Amino acid sequence: MLKLPLNYFSRGKSWIDENVSRNDQVSIAFGILGFVLVYTHFPFEWSLPDYALY
Amino acid sequence: MIADYFFLIWVLGISVPLYWLIPAGLQAVRFGFLSLISICILWTLSPVIMLSIVFFALVLLGFTLAQRAELSPKHLRLLSWFIFSPLVLIEFIPAAWLVSGMLGQSAAQAPLLIGFTYLGISYTAIRCFIMVREHFEGKGPTPVEALTAFVFFGHFVAGPISGAQPWQNVSRSLSGRDVIIAICRIFWGGALFFVIQDYILNNNLIGRLGIPEGHVAAEWLGVYQGFLGLFVNFAGYTEVAIGAALLYGVRLPENFNWPLRATSIQEFWQRWHLSLGKFINTYLFRAVVREVGKPSLAIFLAFTVVGLWHSLSIPYLIWGLGHGAALAVNMMIRKRYPIQKRSALVNRGMMGFGWFFTMTYVSLLSAFANEPTLAAAFDLLKGLI
């Protein structure tokens, strides 16, 4: 039977666990957090130092 | 990654669809297109970088021809170590005459080849070395694969380090899963590199704790803060590089596996900068073990060399000696006192102590090595006492 992500904390494997590897789940979670951080802080007050251009 | 995150997004947004529009049967053309874009970007970043790439490409070609001429494999393997010899020269040659000659810029504006440029060139030397060795084993890249591996803008400056293998096993089509994971990794890498690193290093966190500047506690916290900033910087860069490569169907090796969880120096190097660790293990550690037969001595020598590869300076020599000595001692202790069954409480206590000691040791060595001069490095140590 198909288990929805809402069942994640219930016993047995959820839809996510059956279809997305644990590594990918971690990447997606950090990706969403990364998007929020980048979106809320853009544009950055940062640039490469001058010497990097040589 | 390249200098500007917004520019990187633009480059990926335009080049990735064009790359996949090229028919799958024309993989060499796809790589040629990617190389062309990368060369344009690297040229704007530093013309000196392009000169070094031409040099290493010629070195690779030279070794390929030498192997075809059936020169002694043993001599060729020994000769391959001279690939690193330009690094000795590059670190001390002022870039002024190169830059003023190529761009007409003032010599006074051009300092030594430090920072990103030197790092990029030293990583290219390792890639060149690995590809030469792959050639010896009959797994060498085609010219276009080698060129793309050399110049790919995503991994040029700080890795992950690999030979031609990821470029030989490139995907011929782009899956939805790869796109999602690549975008996620690019965003997380950007957040680490631009947001979290900035928060750690530039927010006067120690001052906010109420610790006065110059206090011993502030100095120690500064050491941990510097290492955390370095990790976040490096991990962020790697995430973006792996994500960008994945958008072109290339799976670069992973570089980190939660290194801040390491409870011993040996475990730290099994989690930190994995692609460099693989290089050390394959070409330095095993080679020295074969010659000398003593693993603890081999690991000590290997890390001393790696310290000097980072930078030809006394602080980095001490960094290499420090890591090499700690790993050798760790190895000897493990051999003499194998892991025994203990109560869970004792195990947790030992792991906690191991974690604290490991993080302190690597942070201290990192802070010491990254001081600009030896005198400054020793001043740092004095401030901690």
Side-chain angles (χ1 to χ4, degrees):
Chain A
M1 194 180 76
L2 182 73
K3 287 198 169 197
L4 294 172
L6 287 174
N7 296 341
Y8 191 78
F9 296 105
S10 64
R11 286 188 175 186
K13 283 192 168 183
S14 68
W15 179 88
I16 285 183
D17 280 334
E18 284 181 358
N19 292 281
V20 184
S21 74
R22 186 49 64 101
N23 276 346
D24 286 356
Q25 288 181 33
V26 172
S27 295
I28 291 167
F30 278 118
I32 293 167
L33 176 62
F35 175 76
V36 172
L37 287 173
V38 167
Y39 186 78
T40 51
H41 288 76
F42 202 82
F44 312 113
E45 291 177 10
W46 187 92
S47 63
L48 280 177
D50 285 346
Y51 63 72
L53 301 176
Y54 299 99
Chain B
M1 195 168 50
I2 43 184
D4 187 303
Y5 194 65
F6 194 52
F7 183 48
L8 172 86
I9 303 293
W10 267 105
V11 169
L12 290 173
I14 294 169
S15 67
V16 169
L18 289 174
Y19 176 89
W20 290 107
L21 276 176
I22 300 169
L26 301 174
Q27 187 57 48
V29 179
R30 282 180 173 177
F31 277 165
F33 171 70
L34 183 54
S35 296
L36 188 66
I37 291 170
S38 298
I39 287 169
C40 292
I41 293 168
L42 292 185
W43 180 268
T44 58
L45 190 65
S46 166
V48 182
I49 283 174
M50 287 313 303
L51 277 185
S52 74
I53 286 173
V54 171
F55 170 79
F56 286 116
L58 289 174
V59 168
L60 181 58
L61 182 67
F63 272 101
T64 313
L65 295 175
Q67 199 196 8
R68 282 186 191 164
E70 296 183 355
L71 293 179
S72 154
K74 193 181 175 186
H75 289 145
L76 281 178
R77 269 201 293 278
L78 195 63
L79 200 62
S80 63
W81 286 103
F82 283 90
I83 289 171
F84 295 100
S85 56
L87 298 182
V88 180
L89 298 172
I90 285 170
E91 194 156 10
F92 296 110
I93 294 175
W97 60 275
L98 278 172
V99 174
S100 56
M102 295 173 81
L103 292 180
Q105 291 182 11
S106 160
Q109 290 177 319
L112 291 172
L113 277 172
I114 53 173
F116 288 75
T117 307
Y118 175 76
L119 267 179
I121 293 172
S122 60
Y123 276 90
T124 308
I126 295 189
R127 286 189 196 106
C128 181
F129 178 87
I130 296 174
M131 282 193 267
V132 165
R133 288 300 184 92
E134 285 172 342
H135 250 298
F136 295 167
E137 293 158 14
K139 295 183 280 187
T142 62
V144 75
E145 284 167 354
L147 178 68
T148 321
F150 272 137
V151 300
F152 176 56
F153 63 86
H155 73 172
F156 179 80
V157 173
I161 301 165
S162 67
Q165 193 257 337
W167 307 89
Q168 290 167 328
N169 298 333
V170 63
S171 297
R172 298 297 167 108
S173 60
L174 187 63
S175 68
R177 177 259 170 202
D178 284 353
V179 175
I180 292 170
I181 297 301
I183 291 172
C184 284
R185 296 193 77 157
I186 291 169
F187 273 124
W188 177 236
L192 282 171
F193 198 90
F194 294 103
V195 183
I196 298 174
Q197 180 190 210
D198 182 57
Y199 182 79
I200 291 170
L201 296 180
N202 302 325
N203 268 290
N204 190 25
L205 292 177
I206 298 169
R208 284 187 194 181
L209 291 171
I211 302 169
E213 204 175 321
H215 192 274
V216 176
E219 297 290 323
W220 273 104
L221 286 173
V223 167
Y224 293 122
Q225 189 186 23
F227 180 69
L228 194 60
L230 171 75
F231 167 60
V232 168
N233 173 309
F234 198 1
Y237 185 92
T238 304
E239 284 291 305
V240 175
I242 291 174
L246 196 55
L247 284 177
Y248 299 103
V250 177
R251 290 169 201 283
L252 293 178
E254 295 293 334
N255 235 4
F256 296 100
N257 180 20
W258 306 95
L260 300 186
R261 288 171 58 183
T263 55
S264 72
I265 193 78
Q266 199 170 352
E267 191 188 350
F268 175 78
W269 278 103
Q270 288 162 354
R271 292 174 174 275
W272 173 271
H273 206 170
L274 300 176
S275 58
L276 179 68
K278 191 180 173 193
F279 167 78
I280 296 168
N281 187 34
T282 311
Y283 299 107
L284 281 167
F285 175 67
R286 286 188 199 168
V288 181
V289 167
R290 272 199 300 273
E291 293 295 323
V292 186
K294 292 181 180 172
S296 39
L297 179 63
I299 201 77
F300 178 72
L301 291 175
F303 270 86
T304 306
V305 172
V306 170
L308 290 173
W309 165 79
H310 275 86
S311 172
L312 276 174
S313 63
I314 303 288
Y316 261 106
L317 173 66
I318 293 171
W319 179 93
L321 291 169
H323 274 287
L327 281 162
V329 170
N330 197 161
M331 209 176 256
M332 286 190 285
I333 290 174
R334 283 271 163 93
K335 196 177 172 188
R336 194 163 291 183
Y337 306 103
I339 296 169
Q340 296 169 342
K341 280 189 179 175
R342 299 186 191 92
S343 72
L345 191 67
V346 173
N347 260 342
R348 283 195 181 176
M350 286 182 74
M351 282 173 72
F353 174 76
W355 175 81
F356 178 72
F357 178 80
T358 306
M359 292 303 123
T360 303
Y361 191 73
V362 296
S363 304
L364 201 54
L365 281 178
S366 170
F368 186 85
N370 284 305
E371 287 294 330
T373 62
L374 188 61
F378 280 112
D379 282 347
L380 173 94
L381 291 185
K382 277 180 203 163
L384 295 171
I385 301 169

